[in-house]
Amino acid sequence: MSENQNLLAEQRRALILDEVRRRGGVRVNELTRKLGVSDMTVRRDLDALARQGVLEKVHGGAVPVVEASTHEPGFEAKSGLELTAKEDIAQAAAELVAPGAAIALSGGTTTYALAHHLLDVPDLTVVTNSVRVADVFHSAQRTSGQRQGAATVVLTGGVRTPSDSLVGPVADQAIASLHFDVLFLGVHGISVEAGLSTPNLAEAETNRRLVQSARRVVVVADHTKWGTVGLSSFAALEQVDTLVTDSGLPAEARAEISEHLRRLVVAGEPEGGTDI
């Protein structure tokens, strides 16, 4: 982390969390030197991150939270994390979408960010099991009216999860009857051994149906998802066509992923390819 007195609070907190996870713990005095801010500012940042449940404060610093494989943070808790990375990923993923495509967006804060970048892509058909994602399109239509080329949105039914996804038999049946060109999938965790995973059993089954109904699967996940394993796996890495991630993903992880995936897109870095 480089010193910068002009960092926004969300940027500082993202850097702090990344440092805590990478090193297994940090001290307040180390963070004040690296971030170029006061002791009080760092402590406020640690308090905010502790309230979100993503780290644990200890005397003189902070350590990572060891989460159970069944722990599922709510949408609001996740929405404040890795904001810059999610925005970069969303922008890169949006460039893969061609006008007139039939796409699916799963639940999650990264797919929510992606939805905002798709509002100006004409004639899309969007299938989603995310209340938040559907509301992005519906809110845009309420604000600007039913303009020509606006997306047609299909929201599955189902039981709402803490991440505001709709899951269960109703969602599964609706998804199973549909076919879409590409699925943009947010994940709780991704690893070579476990593949794609989630702490929610019902969500795992619904995600499984989404993968089965898609011609191509694009996972949108920031670097902190790598190595995380939830309770239930729902897809192997070999079932993923493309992973769109951010530059925080370590070189060794990139090499490992490239052995299993057809395509790796790192947002902000040069990469070839054509639209889906």
Side-chain angles (χ1 to χ4, degrees):
M1 294 189 295
S2 61
E3 293 187 7
N4 189 339
Q5 295 186 15
N6 297 317
L7 287 176
L8 297 174
E10 65 185 45
Q11 295 173 315
R12 284 199 315 273
R13 290 166 190 173
L15 289 169
I16 290 170
L17 183 59
D18 186 61
E19 190 79 351
V20 169
R21 286 172 169 168
R22 184 174 62 84
R23 295 176 51 192
V26 293
R27 299 188 65 81
V28 170
N29 57 7
E30 295 173 328
L31 294 173
T32 58
R33 289 196 302 271
K34 291 182 177 181
L35 291 169
V37 295
S38 68
D39 179 279
M40 184 176 296
T41 296
V42 168
R43 292 185 187 279
R44 280 200 301 263
D45 289 339
L46 293 179
D47 285 338
L49 291 168
R51 285 195 299 270
Q52 292 178 8
V54 294
L55 58 72
E56 181 181 351
K57 288 186 65 181
V58 295
H59 181 68
V63 296
V65 170
V66 180
E67 295 181 346
S69 62
T70 55
H71 175 66
E72 182 180 10
F75 186 93
E76 298 298 342
K78 292 188 291 185
S79 63
L81 305 177
E82 303 295 337
L83 290 177
T84 301
K86 289 174 183 176
E87 183 64 18
D88 291 343
I89 291 167
Q91 186 172 347
E95 294 174 0
L96 303 177
V97 180
I103 67 173
L105 299 178
S106 75
T109 53
T110 309
T111 50
Y112 175 74
L114 172 58
H116 289 84
H117 285 270
L118 298 178
L119 292 175
D120 293 326
V121 181
D123 302 318
L124 292 180
T125 298
V126 180
V127 177
T128 185
N129 69 321
S130 168
V131 176
R132 301 275 187 155
V133 166
D135 193 52
V136 169
F137 292 97
H138 292 153
S139 294
Q141 291 178 12
R142 286 195 299 268
T143 301
S144 60
Q146 188 63 42
R147 58 182 176 80
Q148 186 176 1
T152 299
V153 180
V154 179
L155 177 63
T156 70
V159 178
R160 200 165 182 163
T161 71
S163 59
D164 287 344
S165 300
L166 300 176
V167 301
V170 174
D172 298 346
Q173 186 173 356
I175 293 166
S177 66
L178 301 173
H179 306 279
F180 23 85
D181 300 316
V182 57
L183 163 66
F184 289 93
L185 185 64
V187 297
H188 173 80
I190 178 171
S191 71
V192 171
E193 297 77 16
L196 312 181
S197 62
T198 173
N200 189 303
L201 290 172
E203 186 168 47
E205 181 58 31
T206 299
N207 284 345
R208 206 170 283 125
R209 297 296 181 96
L210 284 167
V211 170
Q212 292 169 356
S213 294
R215 185 167 62 89
R216 295 184 184 179
V217 177
V218 177
V219 171
V220 286
D222 68 73
H223 69 281
T224 65
K225 304 298 179 66
W226 178 251
T228 298
V229 177
L231 176 64
S232 179
S233 296
F234 57 86
L237 286 186
E238 287 74 15
Q239 293 176 266
V240 177
D241 296 281
T242 302
L243 169 64
V244 184
T245 188
D246 65 284
S247 58
L249 189 70
E252 57 270 23
R254 300 186 192 196
E256 197 170 12
I257 290 170
S258 297
E259 294 178 4
H260 297 270
L261 267 65
R262 297 173 180 85
R263 184 179 180 188
L264 174 64
V265 176
V266 180
E269 297 183 5
E271 194 269 342
T274 57
D275 288 350
I276 292 171

